[in-house]
Amino acid sequence: MDPLVTAVIAFGFAVLFGTAAMTKLRDFERFRSALRNYALFPSSLEPLVSVMIVFVEIVLAMGWLLGFYMAPTAIASALLLGLYGAGMATNLVRARSYIDCGCGRAEQPLSWALVVRNALYMTAALAVLIPANERTLGWFDMGLATFALLILVLMERTAMALLANMSQTAAWRT
Amino acid sequence: MVASNTLLWVLVLALTVMVLALARQIGVLNDRVAPAGALTPTGGPKIGETTNAVQVRDLSGTDVTIGGEGKDLTTLLMFVSPTCPVCKTLVPTAMSLAKYEGFHLLFASDGDSIDAHRSYIKDMGIDEDRYVLSEALGMEYRVSKLPFAVLIDSDGTLASLGLVNTREHLESLVEAMRTGVATIQEYVGSYVPEPAKEA
């Protein structure tokens, strides 16, 4: 695979996990109550788990940014995203779709679209395990990577905005 | 080559920004055109009838009677839950509306742990004696979806009730109490057009 794709994926995940950890830290209480509402483990473990999740997200963001241990970072990221997806799927099966997904700045109910989103992220994370061909990246590649990254971030925001719109109109059909 | 490629990237970026802006605008539009009245359940107690008195206990441990005759204030009863995202946005709205209209405001909930409720009222700035936990109360008014509001008139009659998602929904309940018309359907049903004058 072209190293440019790997670079875009790596920086993309650095931004994703970085902003995820920042959002959680900025309103830690909200994150904790969102986590409690998932009802996946005894509430006595919740303080520990909440701190651990933020810690792991920061470590992963650094890992993607520095790129020294790409393979372990990719596998750990896919595992974490898989865990989130499984947590959401569990609550969707339990018909607890009304809880806050805790996956953005605004509150948003759970949906299968979010599970699919996580599956796509997992695929992207694991894609860096495909061996890259030898090619040194020039300044032009860096420019391309910047544009691609910006567009990816904007597209992610658009997808989330559309999802929020969907759940908003879904509430009308009671 | 480089110039045309860069131009393309810039154009794609600009397009993405515009698509995001459009998606956001659709969200704002949805907000504006949301259904304008509270959704009233068909079962349960009838509007205009005297409500049954329900004994409940608030979080400070005091017994409160909700409904029944002999209250001197109109009571706004809001059913909320710590796990419901929409409730969070509606709690301050209900507070400001109750203050403006001079209603006695009570929040009702059930389920979850007591600790979850306590941290919830601390977050939302609700007083302990304004928050009651009761399953019976929810059954009484057939609350199936949250946030749900019940307006009980000062003489103990049920003024209006329904599922509320926005301030407009809450205000529609107040309007229903003032006009004595429960729903727009009822209003349209009772509307008799004047006979056309013969020319």
Side-chain angles (χ1 to χ4, degrees):
Chain A
M1 201 171 58
D2 198 274
L4 182 64
V5 180
T6 313
V8 170
I9 292 175
F11 286 121
F13 274 114
V15 172
L16 186 81
F17 284 119
T19 47
M22 279 302 134
T23 318
K24 288 182 178 74
L25 283 179
R26 202 172 294 160
D27 197 347
F28 198 55
E29 280 308 310
R30 202 197 117 203
F31 165 57
R32 285 184 55 174
S33 75
L35 194 62
R36 268 198 300 275
N37 288 341
Y38 270 90
L40 293 169
F41 43 81
S43 52
S44 54
L45 286 176
E46 179 262 293
L48 180 72
V49 176
S50 57
V51 173
M52 256 171 56
I53 286 180
V54 175
F55 179 73
V56 170
E57 281 184 346
I58 292 173
V59 170
L60 285 178
M62 296 303 284
W64 284 110
L65 195 64
L66 302 174
F68 294 139
Y69 303 101
M70 206 61 125
T73 310
I75 292 168
S77 301
L79 275 177
L80 185 68
L81 290 163
L83 270 177
Y84 290 167
M88 290 193 275
T90 310
N91 276 291
L92 281 167
V93 171
R94 284 179 183 163
R96 284 166 57 85
S97 63
Y98 52 83
I99 64 171
D100 175 23
C101 74
C103 49
R105 252 144 293 181
E107 300 206 346
Q108 202 187 327
L110 296 182
S111 66
W112 286 110
L114 289 168
V115 181
V116 172
R117 181 197 72 158
N118 271 34
L120 286 177
Y121 282 165
M122 280 168 76
T123 319
L126 294 175
V128 300
L129 297 178
I130 302 168
N133 55 17
E134 292 300 316
R135 181 168 83 88
T136 39
L137 298 176
W139 64 269
F140 189 68
D141 291 308
M142 285 302 150
L144 282 187
T146 314
F147 271 121
L149 196 62
L150 266 172
I151 290 165
L152 278 177
V153 170
L154 286 169
M155 277 171 72
E156 194 264 349
R157 298 281 297 272
T158 310
M160 291 306 278
L162 288 174
L163 215 59
N165 293 351
M166 236 167 65
S167 59
Q168 197 178 20
T169 42
W172 300 353
R173 295 185 288 269
T174 43
Chain B
M1 221 292 264
V2 173
S4 69
N5 226 325
T6 314
L7 182 67
L8 265 177
W9 276 106
V10 172
L11 286 178
V12 173
L13 188 64
L15 263 174
T16 326
V17 171
M18 286 197 302
V19 173
L20 176 61
L22 275 172
R24 287 266 172 102
Q25 249 172 30
I26 291 172
V28 175
L29 263 175
N30 282 347
D31 221 31
R32 293 272 170 85
V33 300
L39 194 76
T40 307
T42 41
K46 291 270 176 299
I47 287 161
E49 286 176 2
T50 308
T51 51
N52 297 324
V54 181
Q55 277 283 344
V56 291
R57 183 164 285 186
D58 64 32
L59 271 188
S60 68
T62 324
D63 285 325
V64 205
T65 313
I66 293 171
E69 286 174 25
K71 285 272 164 66
D72 30 300
L73 269 177
T74 305
T75 307
L76 175 61
L77 197 55
M78 276 288 291
F79 289 86
V80 293
S81 159
T83 53
C84 143
V86 191
C87 302
K88 249 177 220 172
T89 59
L90 224 61
V91 166
T93 312
M95 284 176 166
S96 85
L97 185 83
K99 198 175 164 195
Y100 178 77
E101 301 278 353
F103 295 157
H104 180 64
L105 178 65
L106 277 173
F107 291 96
S109 188
D110 78 300
D112 293 313
S113 66
I114 288 283
D115 288 336
H117 289 292
R118 286 203 184 280
S119 74
Y120 183 65
I121 63 167
K122 213 180 111 203
D123 286 349
M124 304 307 304
I126 305 170
D127 294 328
E128 273 188 343
D129 56 352
R130 289 293 173 94
Y131 197 87
V132 301
L133 289 177
S134 165
E135 198 182 325
L137 197 62
M139 304 284 273
E140 172 72 24
Y141 294 104
R142 306 283 175 93
V143 179
S144 57
K145 291 211 171 201
L146 297 177
F148 193 94
V150 177
L151 202 57
I152 303 169
D153 213 340
S154 47
D155 57 2
T157 56
L158 182 63
S160 49
L161 78 170
L163 174 74
V164 287
N165 273 320
T166 60
R167 188 183 183 101
E168 281 72 29
H169 293 173
L170 265 176
E171 281 172 354
S172 81
L173 292 181
V174 182
E175 208 55 39
M177 178 178 77
R178 291 237 173 83
T179 55
V181 182
T183 59
I184 183 79
Q185 284 80 5
E186 192 189 315
Y187 177 75
V188 172
S190 67
Y191 178 74
V192 184
E194 282 177 42
K197 281 185 189 126
E198 281 171 45

